[in-house]
Amino acid sequence: MKFERKDILGIKELSVDEINLILETAESFLEISTRKIKKVPILRGKTIINLFYEASTRTRTSFEIAGKRLSADTINISASTSSVVKGETLIDTARNLEAMNPDVIVIRHSASGAPHLLARLVKQSIINAGDGAHEHPTQALLDMMTIKEHKGKIAGLNVAIIGDIEHSRVARSNIYGLSKMGANVVLAGPATMLPRDIEQMGVKVYNKIEDAIEGVDVIMMLRIQLERQKQCIFPSLREYSQHYCLNRNNIKLAKKDVIVMHPGPINRGVEISPDIADDPSCSVILDQVNKGVAVRMALLYLLTGGGE
Amino acid sequence: MKFERKDILGIKELSVDEINLILETAESFLEISTRKIKKVPILRGKTIINLFYEASTRTRTSFEIAGKRLSADTINISASTSSVVKGETLIDTARNLEAMNPDVIVIRHSASGAPHLLARLVKQSIINAGDGAHEHPTQALLDMMTIKEHKGKIAGLNVAIIGDIEHSRVARSNIYGLSKMGANVVLAGPATMLPRDIEQMGVKVYNKIEDAIEGVDVIMMLRIQLERQKQCIFPSLREYSQHYCLNRNNIKLAKKDVIVMHPGPINRGVEISPDIADDPSCSVILDQVNKGVAVRMALLYLLTGGGE
Amino acid sequence: MKFERKDILGIKELSVDEINLILETAESFLEISTRKIKKVPILRGKTIINLFYEASTRTRTSFEIAGKRLSADTINISASTSSVVKGETLIDTARNLEAMNPDVIVIRHSASGAPHLLARLVKQSIINAGDGAHEHPTQALLDMMTIKEHKGKIAGLNVAIIGDIEHSRVARSNIYGLSKMGANVVLAGPATMLPRDIEQMGVKVYNKIEDAIEGVDVIMMLRIQLERQKQCIFPSLREYSQHYCLNRNNIKLAKKDVIVMHPGPINRGVEISPDIADDPSCSVILDQVNKGVAVRMALLYLLTGGGE
């Protein structure tokens, strides 16, 4: 199968075949990062621009490492040191970058739909590295890759996503992806953090974490993103934690071999207790980060004509 | 002809032969950025430092891409994360960088003359990427390259530069360059934005944009740089725009095949109407950005002994 | 001799043999930075992360250039644009980076012991690029390399370190290193800037600069680090300068062929008079910077299995 897309904007529009192709390509790249010489020449002479309008360590670093291990030239632009401060529009910034002939522009932006706007306007490939509360497709792909490795499959698994669903692009992308791949997705969170009509996405919704995680194979905890909440939607972190923190007690409700995931950065003791986050018998959080580099290598490769 | 200069500080001191050599070298590099593998090894093992004391996206990115496509190692230093915050003088910073044996230091600084100071003090090549309201030679070179491509020549053309001449290093460098190359340069802008005695540079000055652009081959609009204006020199952006914005109406006064230029970032609707900026039949704004990478590749190549 | 350490955390734990191995390796790398093609392929395919929680030009740039001249991939992370702003702990940041399979993490942090914490937690090599007021081992190594070049040896030399000893990681690392290598170290500074019981480190302490530098071979001036002083420990910079500034007068007390060092950035006229700092007959300040790149190349090489 050949990968035909110009851009990776969201999981919503990807087919099962496309997701499988990406995951298989990523699996084949995983080994490169364990070599003594962690570098292959397949993207030599390609230019990748990381255009980050929001602060990021892991995602930007992951894309930069992915690009460099494929021998691409990587250019970082962060909003704080760019002409954004001079009031240039996103469209003009993108068109200017386009004129410098990059091959891929990776964009993170606080506005939902920003990558889609760019994808329509510029001829280069766009990868959405997170747009507002909309999608974060590379996160969902690395999550699916992690689940597949630990469980051998995605279809038929029961997956609980817990926390601030409303503000989470990670949740949205994973709901699309996991449902497509045949998993049963259930959600839990305070009523103020659940989007209306979320059941229309084909998921079951609970208010209590205990109801959601009962008997599941995978628990995905979300980060409380205080910076994205426009209003006070819960009384206090302490109260949130009392009801929704994953800990030694409530995790017993899940399957014995449950795996625990988190997109990071973790608020220790808020959405997940430190002993669970650090427990190698269930936590696959750092494994997710590891898969992230491979998934991004796969996408950079496929979008620049890999396999042709 | 061999390029003998150590530094590129301004257009003022360049000869016509030197400008022609740079433009021809840049033209020969233009094709590299359109290849599948956009990289040649001719600056391998050279170190280029981008030392930016002012925020920039396009110029810094353009220099970084230019360096990387020639296989140089590029190092970015921005004032906000550097020892500038510890109060080190520019001279000491430059001498410290010199001691690390770079080949070229590209500097942007808010103080006019900063690159010239460095050029006297350090043995490496200095490229001025914009110094205060003084010069921005790489911008003028890419502007001349763009004009030459679209008009086949520079000599004999009528070029109007419109806007805040007083605060514009782009205007200053272009007035030097275009006059040297045989173009007739006319200016227009509010009286408060025109330097005194500007006619001594061999240009004609008008107050009205309509008078300046009548019959010209090239219109170069300048950015209103609010951040560089120390005092309130015009009542409002709206009033400025009413008198000096290039639009569908006044552009009819120019030649039918006029080209429209802008160094970016654009203040849409202030100095240029969006329909003109985006009109492919006259606007060459993004083409300027494209030429910028080639001009910077040419300069990096020539300054590091290219062609020897 | 084979280098067996996983990390470079401080000079305190290094043996004389290890220091000699590092300095000899650095001396052999010095020549690379003077070549026309300043690049060797020995760290190709290695990933080096520069994780800087404090602003820095020279140290970060020096590490980045060192990595690039050895053909490593270098990734910069500065606290201001990272998930540090999202409240992630240092430990979680480090473990996340570990999961991306870098080879070396270079860290600068305002907290003493931060690199040691990382070294225990992650499997990759950690280099301390300065931790609080604790150690700055690469600075001490480049200082020793500079002394060795100019004096032919370290053992038996008399070295005076002058200034704010209490807050200086540079002083601490040099006291360890120079004492180990057989130099006699004397200190001088205001009583408020001298740590209690500092004599236990085997050094002589004076209050007056004149007493300390009498007859010495090497004077090492420290930077007044106003940003690290939690309280007002001296009445004014002017008064400090009157008593502790190295100048044309007091330098006569040292040996005729004394060399003057400073880790930079210099506060001209505060701890050192400009004519001394810029006097090529005694100042080796820029030579220190030059040696810094070679020392960092040596460490990156040795920690990644160089010489195996």
Side-chain angles (χ1 to χ4, degrees):
Chain A
M1 183 193 163
K2 213 173 144 259
F3 196 75
E4 304 277 5
R5 286 189 183 275
K6 173 180 159 282
D7 312 293
I8 298 291
L9 302 176
I11 300 293
K12 190 180 183 182
E13 55 268 27
L14 292 182
S15 71
V16 171
D17 282 351
E18 286 174 318
I19 292 173
N20 277 325
L21 176 63
I22 295 166
L23 297 185
E24 283 157 23
T25 308
E27 280 153 18
S28 75
F29 279 138
L30 203 51
E31 171 265 340
I32 294 171
S33 290
T34 66
R35 294 183 192 172
K36 267 197 106 163
I37 296 182
K38 292 182 279 282
K39 205 173 176 93
V40 292
I42 55 183
L43 256 66
R44 200 171 65 83
K46 304 289 183 195
T47 305
I48 296 162
I49 294 180
N50 292 319
L51 179 62
F52 275 66
Y53 286 85
E54 291 187 323
S56 165
T57 303
R58 95 197 52 223
T59 307
R60 195 268 296 167
T61 303
S62 184
F63 269 110
E64 189 177 351
I65 289 179
K68 287 188 153 123
R69 291 200 177 144
L70 295 173
S71 301
D73 291 326
T74 58
I75 311 277
N76 294 317
I77 302 175
S78 69
S80 59
T81 57
S82 79
S83 62
V84 175
V85 300
K86 297 183 189 168
E88 188 177 44
T89 67
L90 173 63
I91 294 175
D92 280 331
T93 298
R95 280 184 174 145
N96 272 281
L97 295 177
E98 178 186 30
M100 298 184 203
N101 293 99
D103 293 275
V104 181
I105 299 175
V106 177
I107 179 172
R108 167 167 289 191
H109 200 284
S110 61
S112 299
H116 309 68
L117 181 66
L118 257 60
R120 281 195 299 277
L121 288 169
V122 309
K123 61 178 182 287
Q124 288 90 6
S125 292
I126 304 294
I127 299 180
N128 179 0
D131 64 322
H134 180 230
E135 279 233 36
H136 191 349
T138 60
Q139 178 70 41
L141 287 163
L142 70 89
D143 288 341
M144 290 189 271
M145 186 179 174
T146 306
I147 293 172
K148 212 180 136 197
E149 191 188 78
H150 286 273
K151 296 295 177 190
K153 59 171 184 179
I154 297 173
L157 292 180
N158 294 304
V159 182
I161 306 179
I162 312 295
D164 182 3
I165 312 291
E166 169 89 27
H167 301 87
S168 174
R169 52 199 181 201
V170 175
R172 207 165 308 268
S173 287
N174 266 304
I175 293 169
Y176 286 127
L178 292 168
S179 304
K180 249 182 243 265
M181 301 300 282
N184 307 309
V185 180
V186 298
L187 311 175
T192 49
M193 291 180 172
L194 294 170
R196 293 178 192 204
D197 306 326
I198 183 77
E199 286 95 344
Q200 294 182 354
M201 288 181 78
V203 294
K204 257 199 170 158
V205 181
Y206 298 95
N207 264 114
K208 292 192 163 182
I209 183 172
E210 290 81 4
D211 296 335
I213 66 177
E214 198 178 333
V216 297
D217 303 280
V218 178
I219 303 173
M220 200 175 276
M221 300 307 296
L222 299 176
R223 191 172 168 266
I224 287 294
Q225 294 179 289
L226 295 166
E227 65 270 28
R228 242 182 278 282
Q229 289 171 10
K230 304 240 164 67
Q231 54 195 104
C232 187
I233 57 181
F234 56 92
S236 72
L237 281 183
R238 194 155 162 266
E239 188 171 332
Y240 179 84
S241 168
Q242 281 174 339
H243 290 95
Y244 294 98
C245 185
L246 185 69
N247 57 39
R248 276 274 161 250
N249 262 336
N250 54 22
I251 200 174
K252 289 176 194 158
L253 296 164
K255 281 216 183 121
K256 258 200 116 158
D257 62 348
V258 68
I259 58 170
V260 174
M261 308 178 77
H262 191 295
I266 296 174
N267 298 308
R268 287 171 172 269
V270 178
E271 66 259 2
I272 189 165
S273 73
D275 57 341
I276 297 291
D278 299 334
D279 181 348
S281 74
C282 63
S283 171
V284 299
I285 296 173
L286 295 174
D287 205 28
Q288 292 171 269
V289 178
N290 181 260
K291 301 290 175 283
V293 175
V295 157
R296 284 154 188 140
M297 288 170 84
L299 292 176
L300 293 173
Y301 170 75
L302 291 170
L303 289 176
T304 54
E308 275 178 23
Chain B
M1 183 194 164
K2 212 172 145 263
F3 196 75
E4 305 276 6
R5 286 189 183 273
K6 171 179 161 284
D7 313 291
I8 298 291
L9 302 176
I11 300 293
K12 190 179 183 184
E13 55 268 27
L14 292 182
S15 71
V16 170
D17 281 350
E18 286 173 318
I19 293 174
N20 277 325
L21 176 63
I22 295 167
L23 298 185
E24 283 156 25
T25 307
E27 280 153 18
S28 75
F29 278 138
L30 203 50
E31 171 265 341
I32 294 171
S33 290
T34 66
R35 294 183 193 173
K36 267 198 107 162
I37 295 181
K38 294 182 276 280
K39 205 171 176 95
V40 292
I42 54 183
L43 255 66
R44 201 171 64 83
K46 303 290 184 195
T47 305
I48 296 163
I49 294 179
N50 291 320
L51 179 62
F52 274 66
Y53 287 85
E54 292 187 323
S56 164
T57 302
R58 97 199 49 224
T59 306
R60 195 269 296 168
T61 303
S62 183
F63 269 108
E64 188 177 351
I65 288 179
K68 287 187 152 120
R69 291 201 177 143
L70 295 173
S71 301
D73 291 326
T74 58
I75 311 278
N76 293 318
I77 301 175
S78 69
S80 58
T81 57
S82 79
S83 62
V84 175
V85 299
K86 298 185 189 167
E88 189 176 47
T89 66
L90 173 63
I91 293 174
D92 280 332
T93 297
R95 280 184 174 144
N96 272 281
L97 295 177
E98 177 186 30
M100 298 185 203
N101 294 98
D103 294 274
V104 181
I105 299 175
V106 177
I107 179 172
R108 167 167 290 192
H109 200 284
S110 61
S112 298
H116 309 69
L117 181 65
L118 257 60
R120 281 194 301 276
L121 288 169
V122 308
K123 61 178 182 289
Q124 286 91 7
S125 292
I126 305 294
I127 300 180
N128 179 0
D131 65 321
H134 180 230
E135 277 234 35
H136 191 348
T138 59
Q139 178 70 41
L141 287 163
L142 70 88
D143 288 340
M144 289 189 272
M145 186 179 174
T146 306
I147 293 171
K148 213 180 135 197
E149 191 188 79
H150 286 273
K151 296 295 178 191
K153 59 170 185 180
I154 297 173
L157 293 180
N158 293 304
V159 181
I161 305 178
I162 311 295
D164 182 4
I165 312 291
E166 169 89 26
H167 299 88
S168 175
R169 53 200 181 199
V170 176
R172 206 166 309 268
S173 287
N174 266 303
I175 292 169
Y176 286 128
L178 292 168
S179 303
K180 248 181 243 266
M181 301 300 283
N184 308 307
V185 179
V186 298
L187 311 175
T192 48
M193 292 181 171
L194 294 170
R196 294 177 193 206
D197 306 325
I198 183 75
E199 286 95 344
Q200 293 183 354
M201 287 181 79
V203 294
K204 255 198 170 162
V205 182
Y206 296 95
N207 265 114
K208 292 192 162 182
I209 183 174
E210 291 80 5
D211 295 337
I213 66 177
E214 198 177 335
V216 296
D217 303 280
V218 178
I219 302 172
M220 199 175 277
M221 300 307 296
L222 300 175
R223 189 171 171 266
I224 287 295
Q225 294 180 289
L226 296 165
E227 65 269 27
R228 242 182 278 283
Q229 287 170 11
K230 303 242 164 66
Q231 55 194 105
C232 187
I233 58 181
F234 56 93
S236 74
L237 281 183
R238 193 153 164 268
E239 188 171 332
Y240 178 85
S241 167
Q242 281 173 341
H243 289 96
Y244 293 99
C245 185
L246 185 69
N247 56 40
R248 276 276 162 250
N249 262 337
N250 53 23
I251 200 175
K252 290 176 193 155
L253 296 165
K255 279 215 184 124
K256 257 199 119 161
D257 61 350
V258 68
I259 59 171
V260 174
M261 308 178 79
H262 191 295
I266 296 175
N267 297 307
R268 288 172 171 268
V270 177
E271 66 258 2
I272 189 166
S273 73
D275 57 341
I276 297 291
D278 299 333
D279 182 348
S281 74
C282 63
S283 171
V284 298
I285 295 173
L286 296 173
D287 206 28
Q288 292 172 268
V289 177
N290 182 260
K291 300 289 175 285
V293 175
V295 157
R296 284 156 188 138
M297 288 170 84
L299 292 176
L300 293 173
Y301 169 75
L302 291 169
L303 289 176
T304 53
E308 273 176 23
Chain C
M1 183 191 164
K2 213 174 145 260
F3 196 75
E4 304 277 5
R5 286 188 182 275
K6 173 180 161 282
D7 312 292
I8 298 292
L9 302 176
I11 300 294
K12 190 180 183 182
E13 55 269 26
L14 292 182
S15 70
V16 170
D17 281 351
E18 286 174 319
I19 293 174
N20 276 326
L21 176 62
I22 295 166
L23 297 186
E24 283 156 23
T25 308
E27 280 154 18
S28 76
F29 279 138
L30 203 51
E31 171 265 341
I32 294 171
S33 291
T34 67
R35 293 183 192 172
K36 266 196 108 164
I37 296 182
K38 293 181 277 282
K39 205 173 177 93
V40 292
I42 55 182
L43 256 66
R44 201 171 64 83
K46 304 289 183 196
T47 305
I48 296 162
I49 294 180
N50 292 319
L51 180 60
F52 275 65
Y53 286 85
E54 291 187 324
S56 164
T57 303
R58 95 197 52 223
T59 306
R60 195 268 297 166
T61 303
S62 184
F63 269 109
E64 189 177 351
I65 289 179
K68 287 188 153 122
R69 290 199 178 146
L70 295 173
S71 301
D73 291 325
T74 58
I75 311 277
N76 294 317
I77 302 175
S78 69
S80 58
T81 58
S82 80
S83 62
V84 176
V85 300
K86 297 185 189 166
E88 188 176 45
T89 67
L90 173 62
I91 294 174
D92 280 332
T93 299
R95 281 183 173 146
N96 272 282
L97 295 177
E98 178 186 30
M100 298 185 204
N101 294 97
D103 294 274
V104 181
I105 300 175
V106 177
I107 179 171
R108 167 167 290 191
H109 201 284
S110 60
S112 298
H116 308 69
L117 181 66
L118 258 59
R120 282 195 300 276
L121 289 168
V122 307
K123 59 178 183 288
Q124 288 90 7
S125 292
I126 304 294
I127 299 179
N128 180 0
D131 64 322
H134 179 229
E135 278 234 35
H136 192 349
T138 59
Q139 178 70 40
L141 286 164
L142 71 87
D143 287 341
M144 290 189 271
M145 187 179 173
T146 306
I147 293 172
K148 211 179 135 197
E149 191 188 79
H150 286 273
K151 296 295 177 191
K153 59 170 185 181
I154 298 173
L157 293 181
N158 294 304
V159 181
I161 306 179
I162 311 294
D164 182 3
I165 311 290
E166 169 90 25
H167 299 88
S168 174
R169 53 199 182 201
V170 176
R172 207 166 309 268
S173 288
N174 266 304
I175 292 169
Y176 286 127
L178 291 168
S179 303
K180 248 182 244 265
M181 301 300 283
N184 308 308
V185 179
V186 299
L187 312 175
T192 49
M193 292 180 172
L194 293 171
R196 293 177 193 206
D197 306 326
I198 183 77
E199 285 96 345
Q200 294 182 353
M201 286 183 79
V203 294
K204 258 199 170 159
V205 182
Y206 296 95
N207 263 116
K208 292 193 161 181
I209 183 173
E210 290 80 6
D211 295 336
I213 65 177
E214 197 176 336
V216 297
D217 303 280
V218 178
I219 302 173
M220 200 176 278
M221 300 306 296
L222 300 175
R223 190 172 169 265
I224 286 293
Q225 295 179 288
L226 295 166
E227 65 270 27
R228 244 182 276 283
Q229 287 170 11
K230 304 242 164 66
Q231 55 194 106
C232 189
I233 57 181
F234 56 93
S236 73
L237 280 182
R238 193 155 164 266
E239 188 172 330
Y240 178 85
S241 167
Q242 280 175 341
H243 289 96
Y244 293 98
C245 185
L246 185 69
N247 56 40
R248 275 275 161 250
N249 263 336
N250 53 22
I251 200 174
K252 288 176 195 156
L253 295 165
K255 280 216 183 123
K256 258 200 116 159
D257 62 349
V258 68
I259 58 171
V260 174
M261 308 177 78
H262 191 295
I266 296 174
N267 297 307
R268 288 172 170 270
V270 178
E271 66 260 1
I272 189 165
S273 73
D275 57 341
I276 297 291
D278 299 335
D279 181 348
S281 74
C282 63
S283 170
V284 299
I285 295 173
L286 295 173
D287 206 27
Q288 293 170 266
V289 178
N290 182 259
K291 300 290 176 283
V293 175
V295 157
R296 284 153 189 141
M297 288 170 83
L299 292 175
L300 293 174
Y301 169 75
L302 291 170
L303 289 176
T304 54
E308 276 176 21

